[in-house]
Amino acid sequence: MKYLLKFFLLINIISCESLDTKVVTVGHIGEFDYDIWQQINEELKIENTKLELVYFQDYELLNKALNDGDIDLNSFQNYIYFVNETNEYNYDLHILGRTFVAPMNIYSKFLTNINQISSNAKIAIPDDKVNLSRALQILEAANIIKLERVDKNFYNLSGIVENNLNIQFIPMDASIIYFNMDKIDAAVINYGFISDYIDYKIIYYDDITKYSHIGMMSYANLIVCREKDKNYNLYKFITESYKQKIKKNIEKNLLNGLIMAE
């Protein structure tokens, strides 16, 4: 009988601990930094706090989810994307910290070099205006097209003034580009949507070290919270811990092409 009482007491203690445990939810895309978030989760256990990653396929949902209170933080976007979204939708969000800058390379399942792109080739690009603009600039740097800015903020397809190979550019949701690689010749893909896969070839490297400082900081990835939570020490700790750990991985060359956003 005493063992039965001990059993129920133990269950009661575990249940109470579970009820008292604070859960911090982080909206995220990709799994390249999964180990970093797991390490942070281990650190938070001493504060009786648990970190949960909430994975999204569509990055256009993450800021809305945060603004609506469905998640506590998000970690997926660069600075220029954040500014555009918060201005467009009047989100009340706050940047907790800049973390890293990631390249936006050109990939192919069939080609091994950018010079193999031939006439009438099909190239997929992200369809949101921020990443589409960046993709076009990368294609210009790769000497595939020439651009002229027709929008004061972003490049778009109507700004292509030279396309000698008559390339067909196919805008699509960034989250599905990878899964359509067998139907196209090449694609410009966000790091978070391609870093977890290995059956592709990088045919053009986006060398972010050649960006101007302003340009580089425009593409710095962020950890973001709601404005009302900007002084919450727990969220500040999570942000600083992430920055320290991502920096160590970059210094160990574990994350190809990434640099810290200092």
Side-chain angles (χ1 to χ4, degrees), residues 17-28:
E17 288 179 348
S18 177
L19 289 173
D20 292 338
T21 299
K22 177 174 178 55
V23 178
V24 177
T25 51
V26 182
H28 196 46

Side-chain angles (χ1 to χ4, degrees), residues 2 16 55 140 177 190 220:
K2 66 178 181 179
C16 290
Y55 288 100
E140 183 177 46
I177 292 179
N190 305 65

